[in-house]
């Protein structure tokens, strides 16, 4: 049985925070592999045009090159229509019945989890590894949110104790659109790809 961490998202673009989370999850919880799984059509991302699939996959391949036990998965890319985490986890369980999956998310996602498509299935089918111990939302701490989800859904949730990183894909897109240096926020090969292909320029 393999212990596999799943990093989902649009990765538009992938950044150093994504890599930090993967490394922390693998080292802290003894995972065998980390799969970076970009969404095909994420149903909750309506605030900006999602970069073409081939570009997001290419940036991920560049970012993960040479990192042992990290790989890009096109599992969601191969599906048509909206891609929901609950459905993805069901399909993964069918295809890899012997393996145990850990879904890696940020604290903000844990507070939004009940708004997801069939959140009860998400919490039934996977263990959640959550980053952001000091996160607080609407007067509820991360520890309180974890306790709540455990009591209501029987969720299995553990905290990732990674260093804080003030980096977000939206900020990187804005910086790239203004022609600012993003070299400290993304792997060098990804920054070069964004420049060469003039990604995010249309948002200027």
């Amino acid at each position: 049985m393999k212990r596999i961490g799943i990093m989902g998202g649009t990765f538009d673009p992938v950044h150093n925070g994504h890599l930090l989370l993967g490394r922390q999850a693998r080292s802290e919880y003894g995972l065998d592999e980390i799969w970076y799984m970009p969404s095909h059509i994420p149903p909750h991302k309506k605030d900006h045009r999602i970069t073409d699939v081939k570009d997001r996959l290419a940036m991920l391949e560049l970012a993960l090159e040479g990192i042992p036990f990290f790989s890009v998965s096109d599992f969601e890319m191969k599906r048509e229509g909206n891609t929901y985490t609950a459905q993805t986890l069901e399909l993964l369980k069918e295809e890899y019945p012997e393996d145990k999956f850990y879904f890696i998310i940020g604290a903000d996602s844990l507070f939004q989890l009940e708004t997801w498509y069939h959140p009860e299935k998400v919490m039934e089918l996977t263990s959640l590894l959550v980053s952001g111990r000091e996160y607080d939302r609407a007067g509820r701490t991360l520890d309180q949110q974890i306790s709540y989800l455990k009591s209501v859904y029987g969720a299995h949730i553990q905290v990732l104790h990674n260093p804080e990183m003030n980096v977000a894909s939206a900020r990187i897109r804005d910086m790239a659109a203004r022609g600012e240096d993003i070299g400290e926020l993304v792997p060098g090969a990804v920054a070069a790809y964004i420049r060469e292909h003039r990604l995010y320029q249309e948002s200027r």
Side-chain angles (χ1 to χ4, degrees), residues 57-81:
L57 281 173
M59 288 188 285
L60 267 173
E61 293 284 1
L62 289 169
L64 303 187
E65 186 175 5
I67 303 179
F69 313 107
F70 281 27
S71 61
V72 180
S73 170
D74 64 354
F75 195 83
E76 286 199 341
M77 291 291 192
K78 295 183 291 188
R79 290 158 52 199
E80 295 297 325

Side-chain angles (χ1 to χ4, degrees), residues 3-6 31 100-104 126-127 129 156 158:
R3 295 158 57 87
I4 300 170
I6 301 291
L31 305 187
K100 181 173 177 59
F101 290 97
Y102 297 77
F103 200 68
I104 303 165
T126 190
S127 295
L129 301 182
H156 187 259
Q158 294 170 287

Side-chain angles (χ1 to χ4, degrees), residues 5-195:
I6 301 291
M7 282 279 293
T10 50
F11 300 108
D12 193 16
V14 58
H15 55 65
N16 291 337
H18 295 133
L19 303 185
L20 173 70
L21 271 188
R23 289 190 176 99
Q24 184 67 28
R26 184 168 183 273
S27 63
E28 189 168 355
Y29 291 103
L31 305 187
D32 297 298
E33 299 176 11
I34 304 292
W35 295 358
Y36 285 75
M37 189 178 292
S39 303
H40 177 46
I41 304 176
H44 60 291
K45 297 281 187 175
K46 306 295 185 185
D47 58 334
H48 69 280
R49 186 181 71 81
I50 305 299
T51 302
D52 191 83
V53 167
K54 67 176 178 60
D55 289 315
R56 290 188 286 131
L57 281 173
M59 288 188 285
L60 267 173
E61 293 284 1
L62 289 169
L64 303 187
E65 186 175 5
I67 303 179
F69 313 107
F70 281 27
S71 61
V72 180
S73 170
D74 64 354
F75 195 83
E76 286 199 341
M77 291 291 192
K78 295 183 291 188
R79 290 158 52 199
E80 295 297 325
N82 288 333
T83 50
Y84 294 100
T85 299
Q87 294 173 332
T88 297
L89 291 170
E90 285 183 323
L91 293 169
L92 284 170
K93 285 291 185 183
E94 290 176 10
E95 192 160 333
Y96 305 94
E98 302 301 319
D99 295 330
K100 181 173 177 59
F101 290 97
Y102 297 77
F103 200 68
I104 303 165
I105 60 175
D108 55 339
S109 294
L110 192 72
F111 280 84
Q112 298 164 5
L113 191 57
E114 288 183 293
T115 69
W116 290 16
Y117 178 83
H118 285 300
E120 75 285 354
K121 287 187 179 179
V122 173
M123 288 178 270
E124 174 191 343
L125 292 168
T126 190
S127 295
L128 297 170
L129 301 182
V130 187
S131 169
R133 190 164 183 80
E134 302 305 316
Y135 196 91
D136 189 299
R137 180 170 176 175
R140 182 183 287 178
T141 67
L142 180 61
D143 286 341
Q144 289 170 334
Q145 180 69 359
I146 289 173
S147 295
Y148 164 74
L149 293 174
K150 284 182 175 180
S151 65
V152 174
Y153 297 95
H156 187 259
I157 306 170
Q158 294 170 287
V159 174
L160 289 170
H161 301 89
N162 54 283
E164 292 291 328
M165 277 200 70
N166 183 25
V167 54
S169 294
R171 177 188 170 200
I172 294 168
R173 291 193 300 271
D174 289 341
M175 291 176 66
R178 294 192 297 267
E180 297 177 13
D181 182 15
I182 59 172
E184 292 187 358
L185 304 177
V186 301
V190 174
Y193 187 95
I194 291 171
R195 286 194 305 271

